[in-house]
Amino acid sequence: MAEQVLRTLMRTTDLLVAGMFSPAAVAAVGLADIYGRLPLWFGLGVGDGAIALSSQDTGSGQTANRDEAVTQALLLGILAGIPFALFGLVGSYWAIDVLGAESETVRLGGQYLAIIFLTAPAFHVTMIAARAIQGTGDTRTPMYINAVANALNIGLTVGLAFGLGPFPELSIVGIAVATAIGDVLAALTFLAVIYSSWSDLGFVRPSQPVIMKQLLVISSPRIAEGITELIAEFPFNAILLGFGTGDEVNAAYHVGRRVYQQISSPLARGYGVAANVLSGQALGRGESEKAYFNGLATAALAVLTVGGLGVVIFVFAETVVQLFSNDPETIGYAVGFAQAYAISTFLIACYVVLAGSLRGGSETRPPFVAKVTGAVFFLLGITYVFGVQLEYGVTAAYVAIVADFVWRNLVVGAVYLRGHWLERGLSMMHERGSLSNDD
């Protein structure tokens, strides 16, 4: 969880620093972050495959299969990062402009996105390696590495944005350069750790196609979640740009979302990783009932603790959003978005943990279905029908955020309770020879 807090704090610092320049700068970082979620989701997707196979094979004692899964996952991440780097060089300004942003937002967002995408291969390595190591039960090493990298990132962000000390004043470009440096250093460190005796993992020469097939089967729905989110963000941000005075409403959405992401989202994601590892390792040991119980127990704890933070966000929303912007109109809308996410924290915590348990059993399809249908029929549907057609404006977006997560819980919860995901995990372990009775 500490790792999640530090990573999110880095992104929050980006918005805080951008907010000291202008609403256009906040919108630029927020809009670029939409595209930045593509390599994020790819890293999370392949990372889910790596953590599922790593945890299951750790539980069953099949370390050779585990090391091959990790090696293949890292190679896949590096190769998949190359197209993002190329797109950053040629299409970053177009990507921001197509969202309908104003010219200054396009200029700033294009610069920021180009630099972020250039280091996508390194970012993939960081995401995948961290999850692979977590799958072995070692959650400290990723925390240590990311803590140093993120602390360096935050320091460089402030120094390069404002030109403090020996650093040049680069404004928004400085924020992106700091992120790129942090990602590259973290990736190199993770590779060195896996290669050394520090980690239980190791690199091997890939020789089992079935492991790559399973990585793709597990990862693809998770990656598709990210693509769905990106597709949904296009019209959603376009609708928001049509409310109020445009950039202010859009900036407010990213500020309100960032408040939730910094305060309560890291805790929810931490519980999700824990549920993934606990369920995966229990399945590896052949303890299906324990894997099922672990998910429910973790979900209950997450709802209580993360939900409590949601109450704090709701009460102090106005105070917190003022840290990100001094524009009165932006603050007014941002309070509404922050409170909408605060109400949703109970739902988000439950959804993230149950989805994490399913992924520990190699089942990534239900969260994808939940996100697609929730985004189309609730997030976009309610915002467009009630916000645009019935002219309720930005209030409809607040309601849509909550309704989206209500639906996601209904879908994922139903799949979890049926328990078929446990059979799927055992079946895939048998396929790659990782069950103890396969020897």
Side-chain angles (χ1 to χ4, degrees):
M1 295 177 187
E3 176 193 352
Q4 303 290 345
V5 171
L6 291 168
R7 181 72 191 184
T8 309
L9 179 60
M10 182 193 72
R11 293 301 183 200
T12 301
T13 302
D14 289 354
L15 273 181
L16 284 170
V17 172
M20 296 181 184
F21 290 102
S22 66
V26 175
V29 173
L31 292 174
D33 189 53
I34 297 174
Y35 294 99
R37 285 179 231 160
L38 269 177
L40 169 66
W41 280 102
F42 192 95
L44 286 173
V46 180
D48 275 354
I51 195 173
L53 271 58
S54 176
S55 61
Q56 292 168 8
D57 291 348
T58 295
S60 65
Q62 300 293 329
T63 57
N65 281 353
R66 180 189 66 191
D67 289 349
E68 175 148 0
V70 173
T71 301
Q72 292 195 27
L74 287 168
L75 289 173
L76 181 61
I78 292 171
L79 291 174
I82 296 174
F84 290 113
L86 295 176
F87 181 83
L89 293 174
V90 300
S92 61
Y93 291 92
W94 171 86
I96 304 299
D97 184 53
V98 77
L99 294 177
E102 297 177 1
S103 59
E104 180 64 7
T105 301
V106 171
R107 184 182 70 83
L108 296 174
Q111 293 173 345
Y112 182 91
L113 182 60
I115 298 170
I116 294 299
F117 265 16
L118 280 175
T119 55
F123 181 60
H124 285 167
V125 168
T126 298
M127 299 290 290
I128 296 166
R131 276 151 182 75
I133 294 172
Q134 289 168 342
T136 68
D138 177 8
T139 57
R140 292 186 177 183
T141 298
M143 182 190 69
Y144 294 149
I145 295 173
N146 283 320
V148 173
N150 292 335
L152 176 65
N153 189 329
I154 291 169
L156 288 175
T157 292
V158 176
L160 290 171
F162 300 113
L164 302 180
F167 301 109
E169 184 177 348
L170 301 178
S171 184
I172 301 301
V173 171
I175 300 175
V177 169
T179 300
I181 293 173
D183 286 341
V184 170
L185 290 178
L188 293 174
T189 305
F190 272 116
L191 292 175
V193 165
I194 294 176
Y195 183 76
S196 71
S197 59
W198 183 291
S199 170
D200 291 336
L201 299 175
F203 295 119
V204 299
R205 184 183 299 275
S207 61
Q208 297 190 58
V210 66
I211 290 180
M212 178 58 74
K213 186 191 84 170
Q214 290 193 0
L215 282 171
L216 294 174
V217 166
I218 297 170
S219 303
S220 295
R222 181 73 152 145
I223 296 169
E225 281 187 54
I227 295 173
T228 299
E229 183 176 274
L230 176 61
I231 294 173
E233 286 280 4
F234 286 160
F236 187 67
N237 276 272
I239 292 171
L240 294 182
L241 287 168
F243 291 148
T245 54
D247 274 351
E248 283 74 13
V249 175
N250 188 267
Y253 163 64
H254 294 291
V255 167
R257 191 167 185 262
R258 178 56 55 182
V259 169
Y260 150 73
Q261 287 178 328
Q262 181 58 59
I263 298 177
S264 55
S265 178
L267 193 61
R269 294 200 304 271
Y271 281 124
V273 170
N276 192 322
V277 174
L278 290 172
S279 295
Q281 290 193 358
L283 276 177
R285 295 190 300 268
E287 300 172 351
S288 297
E289 291 184 2
K290 187 172 183 179
Y292 186 87
F293 172 79
N294 285 343
L296 293 178
T298 308
L301 181 61
V303 168
L304 288 174
T305 54
V306 179
L309 290 175
V311 173
V312 174
I313 295 174
F314 189 91
V315 173
F316 296 100
E318 184 172 0
T319 300
V320 177
V321 300
Q322 288 176 357
L323 297 173
F324 294 84
S325 177
N326 56 11
D327 179 71
E329 191 168 5
T330 300
I331 291 172
Y333 290 122
V335 169
F337 281 112
Q339 290 181 331
Y341 278 107
I343 294 170
S344 301
T345 52
F346 298 92
L347 302 165
I348 295 171
C350 186
Y351 166 75
V352 168
V353 171
L354 293 183
S357 293
L358 294 180
R359 291 168 183 138
S362 303
E363 180 57 278
T364 54
R365 294 170 296 180
F368 164 62
V369 173
K371 176 164 284 190
V372 171
T373 52
V376 172
F377 296 110
F378 292 91
L379 185 66
L380 288 177
I382 291 176
T383 303
Y384 178 74
V385 173
F386 289 89
V388 178
Q389 297 297 318
L390 299 181
E391 300 182 351
Y392 283 95
V394 71
T395 302
Y398 304 153
V399 175
I401 289 169
V402 179
D404 178 21
F405 285 103
V406 170
W407 173 251
R408 292 195 206 182
N409 274 277
L410 291 174
V411 174
V412 170
V415 173
Y416 187 94
L417 294 175
R418 283 200 296 268
H420 296 316
W421 58 279
L422 298 166
E423 300 171 8
R424 177 179 172 85
L426 292 172
S427 174
M428 294 184 74
M429 289 179 66
H430 175 71
E431 183 184 24
R432 66 179 185 273
S434 290
L435 287 176
S436 57
N437 58 8
D438 290 332
D439 294 333

